[in-house]
Amino acid sequence: MIPDLSVVWVIVFVLVLSVLLDRLLLRPVTRVMGGREETIRAARELAETARARVQGATDEFEAKTRTARVDVYQEMEKKRRAALDRRGEIVAETRREVERKMSDATLRVQTQVAAARAQLERDADALATTIVERVLGRKAS
């Protein structure tokens, strides 16, 4: 059985159409799709690189923040200790001054007491002499 000439023509047209479709449509579409896939792959790689850099920068920022926070806390603790030491010095100085003033005041009071006793003894002697002279009516010797 010999195929009809129209069948041959249909086969030829289908082959020509296949070649034309391949060359004019499928290859360019495939090339565009390949280019897009390559662009997408490059964009993903770029995004992954950027994400890694951002993660590194974030980690570095957090590490520096922790370090700065530790430094601030250490400085605060140092200043707190210095303030407590200064407070202790002020309290000790005040205590020494109070004790010195108390000692001075005690000494002054003791001096005044001694002077008052001496004065009282003189006054008592004078008063006793006056009483004796009045009672006896003459000067006591």
Side-chain angles (χ1 to χ4, degrees):
M1 176 157 165
I2 298 182
D4 186 348
L5 190 59
S6 66
V7 172
V8 171
W9 279 110
V10 168
I11 291 173
V12 169
F13 282 135
V14 168
L15 287 175
V16 168
L17 185 60
S18 295
V19 168
L20 283 176
L21 281 175
D22 180 54
R23 302 245 181 208
L24 297 176
L25 184 65
L26 293 179
R27 283 186 186 177
V29 167
T30 304
R31 195 171 38 249
V32 167
M33 287 175 59
R36 285 187 179 176
E37 286 176 2
E38 181 62 28
T39 303
I40 289 171
R41 185 192 59 74
R44 281 187 178 164
E45 288 176 0
L46 183 63
E48 182 62 28
T49 303
R51 187 201 62 77
R53 281 196 337 248
V54 165
Q55 184 63 42
T58 301
D59 292 345
E60 181 181 349
F61 173 76
E62 288 175 357
K64 286 182 179 180
T65 301
R66 278 191 302 274
T67 302
R69 191 171 287 136
V70 166
D71 291 345
V72 166
Y73 288 147
Q74 287 175 345
E75 187 66 27
M76 286 173 54
E77 182 64 19
K78 182 179 172 184
K79 288 188 181 206
R80 185 186 70 80
R81 285 184 185 151
L84 286 175
D85 291 345
R86 178 68 181 131
R87 178 179 168 248
E89 291 171 4
I90 290 171
V91 167
E93 178 63 29
T94 303
R95 183 171 285 131
R96 284 190 297 271
E97 188 171 330
V98 165
E99 288 172 357
R100 184 181 53 79
K101 286 184 179 184
M102 286 293 293
S103 175
D104 291 347
T106 302
L107 185 61
R108 278 195 316 265
V109 167
Q110 288 173 348
T111 303
Q112 289 173 357
V113 164
R117 276 196 183 134
Q119 183 65 36
L120 283 175
E121 286 178 11
R122 284 191 303 270
D123 289 348
D125 286 341
L127 188 59
T129 303
T130 305
I131 291 172
V132 168
E133 287 176 358
R134 284 196 183 174
V135 169
L136 295 176
R138 62 180 175 88
K139 277 194 165 193
S141 50

